[in-house]
Amino acid sequence: DEAASDRSEAAFARAMTPMAFLPAQGIAKLVGDIAPCRVLDVASSHGMFGAAIAQANPAALVTATDFANVLE
C-alpha cells in the first residue's frame, strides 16, 4: 500500500545518513573551492551531499529534490 511505501522510503533515507557522511565530505572537498557553483541533488534523500557542499562552499546554490515524504 502507498502509506507503507512512503514509510519505507523515509526509513531508508534515515538509515543511509550515517553511511553517506564520509562520501559527502569527500565530494565537498573536491568541489568546495569552485565558486560560484550550482548543485542539483536529485533523489537527495538525507540531503547529506548538498549540505556538505553548501558548508564547504557558501557561494554554492544547492537545489535538493526527492519525494515529499522523504524530505519531510
Side-chain angles (χ1 to χ4, degrees), residues 24-25 52:
Q25 296 300 310

Side-chain angles (χ1 to χ4, degrees), residues 38-71:
R38 296 174 61 155
V39 176
L40 177 58
D41 190 353
V42 177
S44 62
S45 185
H46 40 66
M48 192 66 60
F49 288 90
I53 291 169
Q55 286 178 336
N57 183 351
L61 174 63
V62 178
T63 302
T65 183
D66 208 320
F67 293 111
N69 62 308
V70 174
L71 296 175

Side-chain angles (χ1 to χ4, degrees), residues 3-33:
S5 177
D6 286 353
R7 287 190 302 276
S8 62
E9 288 170 359
F12 176 78
R14 285 190 299 276
M16 292 299 296
T17 301
M19 294 189 315
F21 181 76
L22 289 177
Q25 296 300 310
I27 295 294
K29 285 181 185 176
L30 291 173
V31 299
D33 61 348

